[in-house]
Amino acid sequence: MLKAEIRVYLAMPRNKRQFSFLERALKVAGATPTTGSVLDNYLKYKTGVNKRNGGTIPPDARKLVSYSLAPFGGPDASAATTASKRYRANISKFSNDWRTGGGKISNADIGYALDDPANQVDAAYYPAQMKVFVPDGGATAVAQPRISGITKRSYKTKVGKSYTLPFGAIVGKDDQNEYREQMKVLSTKAKGAGATSITFVPEEWGSPAKEATSGT
């Protein structure tokens, strides 16, 4: 019997640049890399000649559902259940339908509460995320050969669906390991739902927008 290979990653912060290695290599190679090379194809991607491989985006991936979350950092039960101490966060309907259906991840599991007018809405708050990939055909799905639209290199990949789920702290957990505990709980849930790749992106706080005085 084949065993599913489960991969759990701790992702770098959201501002990590994609293709940073190719960017550095391109600077070293100069503006005219060898024709047909990976760098040449990457440069064509940057100038709009080559296109990234893309599947069909489900209509529900563009629709958003909103919940409130308690940020990490040891919220006590009182703070975590007070609407004004919770923050609004969005999840796509596509991911949310999987969560509540095949994913079997409840609001209590993931730290969701229904929206309340008193919730905080802060553009500087980026909730923690769990990103999962569930292959079509389950654990025995076989990787299929493809050609990268960017570098034109061949690679193999499994056909499936990807979901992104923001998550927050759980009421009553106030120790310093609450984030890792939540990762463990959600990983177990996602694996049980057939996920073969699980990535966690930590919570972030950006700089709040600065107020400006009106011009005259």
Side-chain angles (χ1 to χ4, degrees), residues 52-77:
R52 182 195 297 266
N53 292 343
T56 302
I57 299 176
D60 281 350
R62 303 182 187 277
K63 300 175 183 177
L64 298 178
V65 180
S66 180
Y67 292 97
S68 74
L69 303 176
F72 288 95
D76 58 36

Side-chain angles (χ1 to χ4, degrees), residues 71-112:
F72 288 95
D76 58 36
S78 176
T81 55
T82 301
S84 62
K85 300 293 184 181
R86 298 178 65 88
Y87 288 72
R88 200 76 58 82
N90 294 334
I91 178 175
S92 72
K93 185 177 183 300
F94 177 69
S95 293
N96 198 51
D97 285 348
W98 174 80
R99 173 185 76 86
T100 58
K104 297 181 180 178
I105 301 175
S106 69
N107 287 3
D109 293 328
I110 203 166
Y112 287 0

Side-chain angles (χ1 to χ4, degrees), residues 6-191:
I6 305 294
R7 298 177 181 176
V8 179
Y9 301 93
L10 281 174
M12 296 299 289
R14 291 175 173 80
N15 59 4
K16 176 70 175 177
R17 289 187 62 183
Q18 194 176 26
F19 307 121
S20 58
F21 175 77
L22 288 175
E23 285 288 345
R24 291 194 297 269
L26 192 59
K27 288 181 180 179
V28 173
T32 54
T34 304
T35 302
S37 66
V38 170
L39 288 182
D40 181 46
N41 284 315
Y42 176 62
L43 182 60
K44 288 177 181 176
Y45 164 70
K46 291 189 65 175
T47 55
V49 177
N50 289 351
K51 303 295 182 182
R52 182 195 297 266
N53 292 343
T56 302
I57 299 176
D60 281 350
R62 303 182 187 277
K63 300 175 183 177
L64 298 178
V65 180
S66 180
Y67 292 97
S68 74
L69 303 176
F72 288 95
D76 58 36
S78 176
T81 55
T82 301
S84 62
K85 300 293 184 181
R86 298 178 65 88
Y87 288 72
R88 200 76 58 82
N90 294 334
I91 178 175
S92 72
K93 185 177 183 300
F94 177 69
S95 293
N96 198 51
D97 285 348
W98 174 80
R99 173 185 76 86
T100 58
K104 297 181 180 178
I105 301 175
S106 69
N107 287 3
D109 293 328
I110 203 166
Y112 287 0
L114 300 184
D115 285 346
D116 187 285
N119 291 154
Q120 299 282 338
V121 179
D122 192 338
Y125 171 57
Y126 299 91
Q129 294 179 339
M130 177 176 71
K131 300 184 178 185
V132 302
F133 175 74
V134 182
D136 295 345
T140 58
V142 178
Q144 303 295 324
R146 296 192 71 182
I147 300 296
S148 169
I150 298 173
T151 64
K152 301 306 178 183
R153 279 185 166 180
S154 61
Y155 67 99
K156 288 187 175 182
T157 186
K158 293 181 180 180
V159 178
K161 298 177 179 63
S162 298
Y163 307 97
T164 299
L165 290 72
F167 65 95
I170 298 298
V171 173
K173 289 188 177 181
D174 57 4
D175 58 88
Q176 13 182 344
N177 296 315
E178 60 182 347
Y179 176 66
R180 291 190 175 277
E181 289 179 10
Q182 185 68 320
M183 284 173 52
K184 183 177 179 180
V185 169
L186 294 178
S187 290
T188 300
K189 289 279 185 178
K191 291 174 189 176

